[in-house]
Amino acid sequence: MTKWVYDFAEGSKEMRELLGGKGANVAEMTRVLGPERVPAGFTITTEACVEYMKAQRSEPEGMAEQVAEALDRLQEMAGKTLGDRDDPLLVSVRSGARESMPGMLDTVLNLGLNDESVNGLAENTDNERFAWDSYRRFVQMFGNVSRGIAGEKFEDAIKAAKDQRGVSEDTELDVDALKELTQTFKDIYAQETGEDFPQDPQEQLRHSIRAVFDSWVGNRARAYRRQNHIPDDWGTAVNVQQMVFGNKGDTSGSGVAFSRDEVTGAPEPSGDFLPNAQGEDVVSGVRTPRDISEMREWMPEVHEQLMEILRKLEAHYKNMQDTEFTVEEGQLYMLQTRNAKRPAQAAVRFAVDAVSENLLDRAQALMTIDPGTLDALLHPTFDPKADFDVLASGVNASPGAAKGEIVFTAADAVAAAEDGRDVILVRPFTDAEDVAGFHAARGILTSEGGKASHAALVARGMGRPAVVGAQALEIDLAAKTVSVNGTKLHEGDRIAIDGTKGQVTTDDVPLVEARVDENFEEVLRWADELRRLDVRTNADTPEDATRARELGAQGIGLCRTEHMFMAEDRQPKMRAMIMADDRDSRKEALAELLPLQQEDFEGIFKAMAGLPVTIRLLDPPLHEFLPNAEDLAAAVERARLEDAHDLPRLERLLERVHEISEENPMLGTRGCRLGILYPEIYEMQVHAILRAAKAAAEPPHPEIMIPLVDYEHEIEIMRELVKSIGDQEGLEIGTDYTVGTMIELPRACFVADRIARFADFFSFGTNDLTQTALGFSRDDVESKFVPTYLERSIIDRSPFETIDKPGVGWLVRLGAWVGREAHPGLQLGICGEHGGDPESVVFFHRAGLDYVSCSPFRVPIARIAAAQAAIRYPIGRWD
Ligand code: PEP
Ligand code: MG
């Protein structure tokens, strides 16, 4: 018989897949801190959830019996029983997936209360108010979670009760009010479900476990999984745990505590707590919590115990911890611990401090950094020299600065982003429904909540700047206005926020680009020592090249020369070249472009002195440089009516546009096909590159790259072309420059051995390779069917973002393997967008490539990702 249920005492942190993150960590914590610090309980496994889903929502065989037995053991350990009329046991029923999904899955608290046990709880705790408050919370949560009754129904009833008694806070409702409210809640329950509120605790438990399982397949959780690439078939575990109470009076309380400052990474523990409150009050953001340091005055001994526990847990897990705790009448209980999600600056600071404290070695420390979050360190902040008026201040919840127009709903944020507008999402507080708005907005601003609020956690996780708990803001969602100290702002007004400092302003503060700080420099140095992959950059201008070099690029992996022709002063010359009717006039136009190209290359060689520079010869479909055919047709029409003298010129132009235009330009006359048809274009470019090389103060390392090769004869011809220009320039192929190709078509991967005979290097162009291998248009699919594919779990992320390992990845492995077999010294790199995606970088490391190349700002991310790849896979190859 499969074991579906584990007592906390049976689990460990290694059992995360089976017990979920929370279950595994609570079990581990029970061992490390001792059972007196962790309320007892048991975990129903993720496998049980998976079976439940497979069986169309029916519990696997044996689960109910195992739950009953585990409950018996729990009752025995606690010395109390569920539903007992004298001294009842209450339990929480919480979800716990393998990866944490904050706020996405359901939880039921205070389970075990009914019309009888509520009196037992009141007598036993000598706190009637507490007992009735717990009961009304339970009816509310159970109704909402297990039976889907809308939260507002209950909230409205609370508001009515408060209005009736003329009080403003929930805590001001007395016992009678709470008793009445509980009855109202039960009436709501009966009305909505057609059934009485269940009095049998076993039935309450059964329903709640099912509700947690069901929440795994709910829309909120699905959307979250898609965004965070969590597979649908993991399932969630369910943790049933004895309740302890933080709302039993002045010597009780609840809080969240981080073993270090979760925003800066500084060594002092941080967090929030609220006296006389349950955990949900702290994290919901509805009441503004107090700083953890104030606990010292409130209960010095408990504060000291908590600090000691945080140190112990951090040393045990060898990672910064994020914990939840409850103090029940002076006794401290730890409810949960997990590795803290943290913004980049805290992550790098922790890594550096942990090494200097001998907590971790460098490789271990590097592995604690999520390279995906490092973006935030590389993003703008307010110019420190700028003079501006602070309109309001709040909690610095997620670093980075942002400017944009005010919007008040997630839907408006999404719509604005689709219009290409920058917006700041302004809300009193946020919940799971707002997550899409976080993606769309440049920054988040809330008037309530602390560092552990939903808005803070989600924004930090995504690397969006956020200021929360800016209490001076009075937000009127209905009127779409926000009033701050006498200023009234409307939707569409511009504001700026600084999530690093917690400031809000209406001034147009200049933003400055991020500078890599000392801690970041330090971890990057370690990464450089540990990685095997080189990291280059994709850069088309000397400025980009310089910036990338500052960020650690070891050369250029892709210089797209067509971008150099897009500049306004060059477009007409480029157009004249393309429109030329014969070779001679084309050559004339090219002669004008040559010095400009040479100048570009000189700048780039200078910026990359001493480092390799891969320059790709012209690639794009020619039509990108042509005048718009419709506009031109209209001009012809006008000229005809006016009998204008330049009618023949315009007509010829239109004819030429039609000649050049193609149905599928991405699959048309681009890449080396252009070079074969119009060799003079490539000849001009090679002259420009090699002359720039000769002019450089320090001899550069130009690598001339032929794009979009399918056949070995293409590269053979192109290599010959480049070499003949090299000879004219008096430079030696293989010594003064090399010639290689992009591998970006499936055929090229299959015949990589043939192509490799004519190439000094391959650079995988995974953008086009993805497009052509999958038959997905790289320009269209992400706004068309990819969202549906994600929703339907056909794919778990866009193949243009992370390499499609089994398909496109296989082609890369094949091309690398057969290419190297035919040409052992062949240099292998990748310059598609995937070169800056951490997960893809690990793949390329394992595929045995020599380097990845990515946009300048992603260079540091790729350096860390490459080091992590080398730490995880020291051999670095599959074979
Ligand atoms: C590629 O196709 O991956 C590539 C880098 O080239 P481009 O994006 O310019 O087509
Ligand atoms: Mg390409």
Side-chain angles (χ1 to χ4, degrees):
M1 166 65 71
T2 313
K3 187 167 164 62
W4 304 114
V5 179
Y6 286 76
D7 288 352
F8 288 165
E10 293 177 290
S12 73
K13 70 177 193 303
E14 283 72 34
M15 294 166 74
R16 190 179 186 97
E17 288 187 15
L18 187 64
L19 302 180
K22 189 175 290 172
N25 282 330
V26 170
E28 187 76 14
M29 209 165 50
T30 309
R31 280 202 218 174
V32 178
L33 304 178
E36 64 286 355
R37 278 281 177 238
V38 186
F42 56 88
T43 304
I44 304 161
T45 65
T46 54
E47 277 176 6
C49 176
V50 172
E51 287 302 312
Y52 171 87
M53 291 186 300
K54 271 198 211 147
Q56 316 300 330
R57 305 179 57 238
S58 99
E59 287 91 346
E61 202 187 313
M63 186 187 116
E65 293 77 10
Q66 291 182 28
V67 169
E69 285 160 19
L71 189 60
D72 284 346
R73 288 193 296 276
L74 173 57
Q75 297 189 133
E76 201 165 310
M77 222 174 324
K80 300 180 182 195
T81 15
L82 281 183
D84 190 86
R85 58 166 42 170
D86 297 323
D87 182 13
L89 170 71
L90 302 190
V91 293
S92 62
V93 181
R94 292 174 195 262
S95 59
R98 218 191 279 185
E99 295 282 331
S100 104
M101 296 170 56
M104 297 296 137
L105 300 174
D106 283 333
T107 287
V108 178
L109 302 175
N110 302 325
L111 188 141
L113 282 173
N114 57 23
D115 294 349
E116 291 199 343
S117 63
V118 66
N119 297 313
L121 184 68
E123 276 164 36
N124 204 268
T125 57
D126 198 19
N127 192 337
E128 204 179 6
R129 188 184 183 285
F130 157 69
W132 281 96
D133 192 37
S134 302
Y135 192 19
R136 76 94 192 151
R137 284 171 190 257
F138 174 49
V139 180
Q140 181 176 359
M141 245 184 172
F142 184 89
N144 179 249
V145 167
S146 298
R147 306 306 300 264
I149 302 171
E152 296 100 70
K153 292 239 152 64
F154 298 112
E155 293 300 337
D156 289 349
I158 296 177
K159 189 163 183 309
K162 285 194 287 196
D163 288 350
Q164 195 190 345
R165 285 168 175 78
V167 298
S168 62
E169 298 288 325
D170 294 7
T171 45
E172 292 171 279
L173 292 172
D174 62 12
V175 175
D176 285 340
L178 289 168
K179 279 184 180 173
E180 242 173 64
L181 200 53
T182 308
Q183 188 53 50
T184 312
F185 281 10
K186 286 198 290 179
D187 293 344
I188 294 173
Y189 184 95
Q191 260 163 31
E192 294 288 318
T193 65
E195 291 167 23
D196 285 341
F197 183 77
Q199 294 292 311
D200 174 9
Q202 307 288 342
E203 192 186 336
Q204 296 170 352
L205 182 58
R206 210 163 40 244
H207 276 304
S208 301
I209 292 171
R210 289 176 65 99
V212 175
F213 280 166
D214 289 341
S215 69
W216 176 261
V217 285
N219 290 340
R220 256 190 316 164
R222 271 175 203 269
Y224 183 88
R225 285 201 292 277
R226 270 203 306 283
Q227 265 153 21
N228 292 277
H229 314 303
I230 297 173
D232 282 336
D233 57 8
W234 278 2
T236 176
V238 181
N239 299 292
V240 178
Q241 187 173 26
Q242 178 178 6
M243 293 274 299
V244 286
F245 294 93
N247 54 345
K248 267 187 170 180
D250 292 340
T251 57
S252 301
S254 293
V256 294
F258 295 85
S259 60
R260 308 192 181 220
D261 187 297
E262 84 280 22
V263 174
T264 65
E268 303 75 41
S270 67
D272 295 326
F273 79 103
L274 276 172
N276 197 11
Q278 284 193 294
E280 51 170 339
D281 301 325
V282 182
V283 294
S284 67
V286 174
R287 276 167 71 185
T288 300
R290 288 160 61 178
D291 192 86
I292 205 84
S293 59
E294 293 174 37
M295 242 179 106
R296 200 178 291 130
E297 289 113 64
W298 177 55
M299 285 220 214
E301 225 172 276
V302 174
H303 179 258
E304 194 37 56
Q305 286 165 358
L306 179 64
M307 296 300 114
E308 177 57 32
I309 285 172
L310 291 174
R311 275 191 292 276
K312 206 165 177 178
L313 287 174
E314 192 181 86
H316 180 75
Y317 279 92
K318 293 188 174 298
N319 205 328
M320 195 168 144
Q321 294 298 295
D322 166 358
T323 68
E324 283 176 21
F325 66 89
T326 284
V327 183
E328 185 183 73
E329 298 181 321
Q331 164 75 18
L332 172 66
Y333 292 98
M334 300 306 293
L335 304 183
Q336 155 149 239
T337 191
R338 59 188 170 194
N339 294 341
K341 286 201 170 153
R342 57 210 146 196
Q345 60 175 16
V348 295
R349 168 122 195 222
F350 172 74
V352 170
D353 289 352
V355 169
S356 65
E357 292 165 21
N358 287 324
L359 186 64
L360 303 175
D361 66 27
R362 289 178 177 186
Q364 288 170 326
L366 268 175
M367 291 306 286
T368 65
I369 296 173
D370 174 358
T373 64
L374 294 175
D375 259 340
L377 276 188
L378 303 159
H379 286 309
T381 50
F382 282 175
D383 183 346
K385 292 190 284 295
D387 214 8
F388 63 92
D389 289 329
V390 176
L391 179 72
S393 291
V395 176
N396 52 339
S398 181
K403 296 199 271 197
E405 296 170 21
I406 295 174
V407 290
F408 291 99
T409 67
D412 288 343
V414 171
E418 277 167 8
D419 281 357
R421 284 183 288 135
D422 291 342
V423 291
I424 307 287
L425 178 62
V426 180
R427 306 271 310 158
F429 54 88
T430 64
D431 61 28
E433 245 105 78
D434 297 317
V435 172
F438 280 66
H439 270 285
R442 293 265 149 197
I444 314 298
L445 172 61
T446 73
S447 55
E448 292 170 23
K451 280 184 193 165
S453 65
H454 177 270
L457 291 179
V458 176
R460 277 209 298 278
M462 272 184 206
R464 286 282 178 284
V467 176
V468 304
Q471 293 179 1
L473 307 185
E474 280 170 42
I475 300 170
D476 185 338
L477 290 178
K480 296 203 170 181
T481 58
V482 46
S483 309
V484 201
N485 307 327
T487 308
K488 194 172 211 173
L489 300 170
H490 298 84
E491 186 179 43
D493 289 349
R494 288 187 68 82
I495 52 165
I497 62 164
D498 180 349
T500 316
K501 293 222 177 79
Q503 293 172 331
V504 185
T505 179
T506 44
D507 293 349
D508 190 14
V509 191
L511 303 185
V512 286
E513 298 206 334
R515 234 168 258 301
V516 173
D517 76 4
E518 264 171 41
N519 291 326
F520 197 18
E521 296 274 16
E522 178 86 13
V523 296
L524 285 166
R525 268 195 297 277
W526 304 341
D528 294 346
E529 279 166 24
L530 290 163
R531 67 191 160 94
R532 183 188 60 71
L533 279 173
D534 279 354
V535 178
R536 297 194 192 178
T537 191
N538 294 355
D540 316 319
T541 63
E543 298 76 54
D544 281 359
T546 305
R547 178 176 305 129
R549 193 166 188 172
E550 281 164 13
L551 293 169
Q554 296 165 284
I556 291 185
L558 174 63
C559 169
R560 294 173 161 110
T561 53
E562 55 275 10
H563 290 181
M564 300 171 166
F565 295 119
M566 303 271 186
E568 229 166 290
D569 57 332
R570 301 179 186 194
Q571 265 216 355
K573 297 190 173 71
M574 181 68 177
R575 196 174 280 172
M577 188 274 285
I578 294 169
M579 301 300 254
D581 285 325
D582 53 45
R583 185 155 295 185
D584 285 343
S585 39
R586 187 169 310 111
K587 279 188 164 177
E588 243 170 67
L590 283 165
E592 285 202 43
L593 284 166
L594 192 142
L596 301 172
Q597 277 260 277
Q598 183 176 331
E599 211 178 290
D600 292 334
F601 296 134
E602 282 177 18
I604 287 181
F605 286 148
K606 191 163 167 216
M608 281 289 165
L611 297 176
V613 174
T614 307
I615 298 168
R616 178 177 72 187
L617 302 186
L618 202 64
D619 177 20
L622 288 183
H623 78 283
E624 284 187 13
F625 294 97
L626 298 181
N628 179 294
E630 277 176 24
D631 294 349
L632 199 54
V636 167
E637 206 45 47
R638 266 197 315 276
R640 203 170 274 144
L641 286 175
E642 292 162 13
D643 207 11
H645 72 278
D646 66 344
L647 178 64
R649 187 187 66 81
L650 288 170
E651 280 176 336
R652 175 63 198 129
L653 212 55
L654 183 59
E655 201 178 50
R656 187 78 181 124
V657 168
H658 285 145
E659 273 165 26
I660 293 174
S661 297
E662 294 171 318
E663 286 295 330
N664 287 309
M666 275 307 228
L667 302 177
T669 314
R670 56 176 286 221
C672 67
R673 301 160 199 175
L674 273 171
I676 303 260
L677 290 183
Y678 309 106
E680 54 280 8
I681 302 179
Y682 277 16
E683 284 167 6
M684 179 281 282
Q685 291 198 289
V686 178
H687 274 300
I689 295 167
L690 297 182
R691 285 179 194 174
K694 288 201 287 189
E698 190 179 339
H701 302 275
E703 299 177 342
I704 298 174
M705 181 151 78
I706 312 298
L708 220 72
V709 164
D710 256 325
Y711 299 94
E712 67 267 32
H713 289 310
E714 291 171 328
I715 173 98
E716 186 183 9
I717 296 167
M718 290 296 109
R719 188 179 177 88
E720 203 36 59
L721 176 148
V722 175
K723 184 174 173 307
S724 77
I725 306 293
D727 292 348
Q728 288 172 32
E729 295 291 345
L731 294 176
E732 181 119 5
I733 189 166
T735 312
D736 298 318
Y737 65 95
T738 57
V739 179
T741 178
M742 290 193 79
I743 298 288
E744 48 188 343
L745 295 169
R747 187 179 197 278
C749 297
F750 294 127
V751 300
D753 51 339
R754 294 162 180 245
I755 293 174
R757 296 212 301 273
F758 304 101
D760 300 314
F761 61 87
F762 281 178
S763 178
F764 289 91
T766 47
N767 303 332
D768 274 308
L769 192 57
T770 300
Q771 165 163 270
T772 49
L774 288 162
F776 279 15
S777 159
R778 59 192 269 190
D779 300 310
D780 300 315
V781 298
E782 281 179 284
S783 61
K784 296 284 196 295
F785 60 83
V786 161
T788 308
Y789 270 41
L790 289 168
E791 207 160 304
R792 303 273 304 271
S793 302
I794 296 171
I795 52 178
D796 64 2
R797 64 189 76 186
S798 162
F800 291 105
E801 181 188 319
T802 297
I803 190 98
D804 158 45
K805 292 182 204 137
V808 180
W810 167 248
L811 288 171
V812 172
R813 288 176 61 188
L814 175 70
W817 173 36
V818 298
R820 262 224 184 102
E821 219 166 47
H823 181 165
L826 187 71
Q827 174 188 267
L828 298 174
I830 172 274
C831 62
E833 282 309 297
H834 306 87
D837 169 63
E839 194 178 322
S840 309
V841 170
V842 175
F843 182 87
F844 299 131
H845 166 86
R846 299 193 75 194
L849 304 193
D850 297 309
Y851 69 83
V852 295
S853 187
C854 54
S855 56
F857 277 112
R858 295 173 93 187
V859 167
I861 297 173
R863 287 161 73 191
I864 303 270
Q868 292 182 340
I871 295 163
R872 270 169 67 192
Y873 302 104
I875 298 183
R877 303 267 171 88
W878 275 281
D879 47 6

